[in-house]
Amino acid sequence: MSDLHEWTPQLIQDEIDALKDKPGALLPILHAIQDRVGFIPDQAVPLIASSLGQTRAEIHGVISFYHHFRTSPPGSHVVRICRAEACQSMGARALEAHVRASLAIDYHQTTGDREITLEAVYCLGNCACAPSVSVDDRVLGRVTPERFDRLVDDLRTRPLEVK
């Protein structure tokens, strides 16, 4: 992965060109751009539209429909809270209320210090250990408000690992 958030129109065009001839290319292109840059820059929309022969509105409609896609750079860490039924039955609603209050943000927002972006997910495949969250790509189960607070303290005090 390149340095997240650093991109050029040529980098975006290279991702588009690598995938544009595949059937149903739009979603793979959007995933490739977000994987490479960390989000879908607004300036990518006209490049994608032109390359695929679609309108900007069509591209924007797909980006805004799927909660997975971001249109602004995420924080240093992405925290996802599972909102599926199994996690809800085991206390995820109380956990998510605690998380939103303690971070002072809502879903699809980033803390003021740019450390944590909060996102919802609708299953992490960890139902037996509900409620579950993922931090970056690490899935954690049986998360309580207290455990979450310790996790956030750890995220904010440890140095980022270089990938």
Side-chain angles (χ1 to χ4, degrees):
M1 191 180 322
S2 75
D3 292 331
L4 287 180
H5 318 309
E6 294 181 21
W7 66 275
T8 63
Q10 187 58 54
L11 182 144
I12 299 295
Q13 192 63 55
D14 291 346
E15 294 295 337
I16 295 167
D17 290 344
L19 297 165
K20 71 180 180 184
D21 295 322
K22 294 185 178 270
L26 179 56
L27 286 175
I29 288 170
L30 294 173
H31 280 286
I33 292 169
Q34 184 158 298
D35 289 347
R36 184 88 183 261
V37 180
F39 68 108
I40 310 294
D42 289 337
Q43 298 88 337
V45 172
L47 296 173
I48 298 167
S50 175
S51 296
L52 297 181
Q54 295 181 336
T55 67
R56 292 177 186 190
E58 290 171 314
I59 306 305
H60 178 72
V62 171
I63 293 169
S64 62
F65 178 79
Y66 291 103
H67 292 286
H68 173 75
F69 296 121
R70 295 182 208 99
T71 55
S72 61
S76 300
H77 302 282
V78 177
V79 173
R80 293 178 179 92
I81 300 177
C82 182
R83 300 187 75 203
E85 290 81 2
C87 284
Q88 285 185 24
S89 72
M90 296 301 291
R93 286 186 182 179
L95 176 63
E96 69 182 297
H98 171 79
V99 169
R100 290 192 328 256
S102 69
L103 295 177
I105 59 173
D106 205 344
Y107 289 115
H108 310 291
Q109 295 179 345
T110 301
T111 56
D113 61 5
R114 306 283 313 146
E115 283 295 312
I116 299 172
T117 295
L118 182 61
E119 296 181 348
V121 66
Y122 292 90
C123 190
L124 290 167
N126 199 34
C127 304
C129 297
S132 297
V133 302
S134 72
V135 178
D136 301 324
D137 291 321
R138 195 173 95 221
V139 176
L140 304 168
R142 296 185 179 99
V143 179
T144 62
E146 297 77 21
R147 185 173 179 208
F148 180 80
D149 291 343
R150 288 191 305 271
L151 175 68
V152 168
D153 288 344
D154 184 47
L155 290 176
R156 288 186 165 151
T157 58
R158 72 176 176 180
L160 284 176
E161 296 174 13
V162 178
K163 295 183 179 185

